[in-house]
Amino acid sequence: FFFVATASSDAMAADLGAHEQVVFQAKIAEQAERYDEMVNFMKQVVKSNPELSVEERNLLSVAYKNCIGSRRASWRIISSIEQKEDSKGNEANVKVIKEYKKEVQKELSNICNDILSLLDTQLIPSAQTGESKVFFLKMKGDYHRYYAEIDNGQAQDAALKAYTEASDISTTSLPPTHPIRLGLALNFSVFFYEILKDPARGCTIAKSAFDDAVAELDSLEEEGYKESTLIMQLLRDNLTLWTEDMNEGDGTKIEEAE
C-alpha cells in the first residue's frame, strides 16, 4: 500500500508545519521575555486551530499572564504614589498621576478585552473536555477580575458567573487534587476576598478546596504532586493571612494561581 499525496494532503501538511512553527516562535518569545509578541504568536495559533493542546493553552496563559502582570504591577505602584501625593495635598501632582493612570488603564483594558474576546468566540466553544472548559472559564473569570481591579462596572458579575460555571464543571470532571481545580479555587477565593470584599466566603472556598485535596492526597500521582501541593500551600498561606486580617485588619500580599 502506498500513500498518494494530493493537493489537499500537501496543504494540510503545510498548514501543520506552519502551526508548529508559530508555536515554536511563541516559545522563543517566552524565553526572550517578549510577551507582547508571544501573545501575537499564540493568537495565530488559536486562529489556526482553536482546540488547543495542553502545551498550547499553557503557552497562551503564560503570554497573557505576563502581559497583564506588568500592567497590574504598574497600576498598583501608580495608585500608591497617587495616595501619597493626595495625602500631602499635592493636587497638581495628583492630576498628573490621574492622567498617567488612564494610559495604564487603557492598556489593561485592551489586554483584557483581547483575551476575553478570544475566549468567548473561539476557545470556550472549541473546548472538548471538562478540563479544557474549566481551564478557559477560569481564565475568563481571571481577566474579568483583573478588569474589576481598575473599573468594577459589570466585570464583577461577569467574573462571578465565569468562576461559578468553572467550579460547577470542575466538581464533576476533575478530582479535588487536580491543579486546575485547585488553581480555580485559589483564584475564586481571591476574587471574593479582594473584589467582593467578602473574606468569609473567600476563606470558605479556600478551606473547602484545601481539605478536599488533603483527603485524596495519597491517591495523587507523582507527576502532578509538586504542582498540586504548591497550590495547596498557596491556599493555606492565604487562609492564614486572611484569618489574621479579619482578626487584626492587617492587609497582606495575596497569592493567586498562574
Side-chain angles (χ1 to χ4, degrees):
F1 176 78
F2 294 94
F3 175 74
V4 179
T6 64
S8 60
S9 64
D10 285 344
M12 191 179 297
D15 286 344
L16 181 62
H19 182 92
E20 292 173 342
Q21 186 178 50
V22 179
V23 171
F24 181 62
Q25 287 176 302
K27 292 177 182 177
I28 295 172
E30 179 186 12
Q31 292 296 311
E33 298 184 1
R34 296 174 66 87
Y35 298 110
D36 289 354
E37 291 169 8
M38 187 182 179
V39 161
N40 290 331
F41 288 133
M42 290 313 300
K43 286 168 70 175
Q44 291 179 48
V45 170
V46 172
K47 186 177 181 180
S48 170
N49 182 5
E51 190 178 342
L52 302 185
S53 67
V54 172
E55 180 187 43
E56 289 166 356
R57 76 186 187 204
N58 287 337
L59 286 168
L60 180 82
S61 178
V62 167
Y64 276 99
K65 182 76 174 179
N66 280 281
C67 272
I68 200 78
S70 61
R71 275 79 172 189
R72 289 173 73 204
S74 298
W75 176 270
R76 292 190 188 109
I77 292 167
I78 295 168
S79 295
S80 176
I81 296 170
E82 181 185 11
Q83 289 178 356
K84 290 177 182 176
E85 291 299 317
D86 190 41
S87 66
K88 296 175 185 175
N90 294 334
E91 293 182 11
N93 288 355
V94 170
K95 185 178 180 180
V96 171
I97 294 168
K98 284 185 181 297
E99 287 301 313
Y100 191 32
K101 275 180 72 176
K102 287 180 182 178
E103 295 180 25
V104 180
Q105 182 174 6
K106 184 178 179 181
E107 290 181 16
L108 271 163
S109 300
N110 288 342
I111 294 168
C112 289
N113 290 334
D114 193 41
I115 182 60
L116 288 169
S117 174
L118 213 58
L119 287 163
D120 284 335
T121 61
Q122 298 186 65
L123 295 168
I124 294 173
S126 300
Q128 298 298 310
T129 66
E131 180 179 307
S132 291
K133 289 175 183 175
V134 174
F135 183 93
F136 290 125
L137 283 166
K138 169 190 169 292
M139 203 171 178
K140 182 176 179 178
D142 287 341
Y143 283 85
H144 278 299
R145 172 165 61 91
Y146 302 151
Y147 198 94
E149 290 175 347
I150 60 169
D151 182 12
N152 262 325
Q154 297 178 340
Q156 278 191 12
D157 293 338
L160 179 61
K161 183 179 179 181
Y163 280 138
T164 300
E165 188 177 351
S167 295
D168 291 343
I169 297 172
S170 73
T171 55
T172 58
S173 62
L174 300 176
T177 53
H178 197 291
I180 294 177
R181 179 170 167 176
L182 286 167
L184 168 63
L186 177 62
N187 287 9
F188 199 7
S189 64
V190 168
F191 169 73
F192 272 100
Y193 185 88
E194 285 197 328
I195 305 300
L196 297 187
K197 309 300 181 187
D198 188 349
R201 179 64 173 145
C203 285
T204 298
I205 292 173
K207 188 176 188 306
S208 177
F210 182 85
D211 291 344
D212 289 348
V214 167
E216 296 194 19
L217 205 55
D218 291 341
S219 63
L220 185 60
E221 295 180 6
E222 186 177 346
E223 182 181 347
Y225 187 87
K226 184 177 180 181
E227 186 178 1
S228 294
T229 52
L230 174 62
I231 300 173
M232 289 173 68
Q233 182 64 53
L234 296 177
L235 283 164
R236 189 167 65 178
D237 289 347
N238 279 355
L239 276 169
T240 301
L241 295 172
W242 295 347
T243 302
E244 291 175 357
D245 189 24
M246 284 189 289
N247 292 335
E248 303 172 11
D250 180 24
T252 319
K253 182 179 182 294
I254 305 298
E255 303 288 355
E256 60 185 70
E258 293 298 322

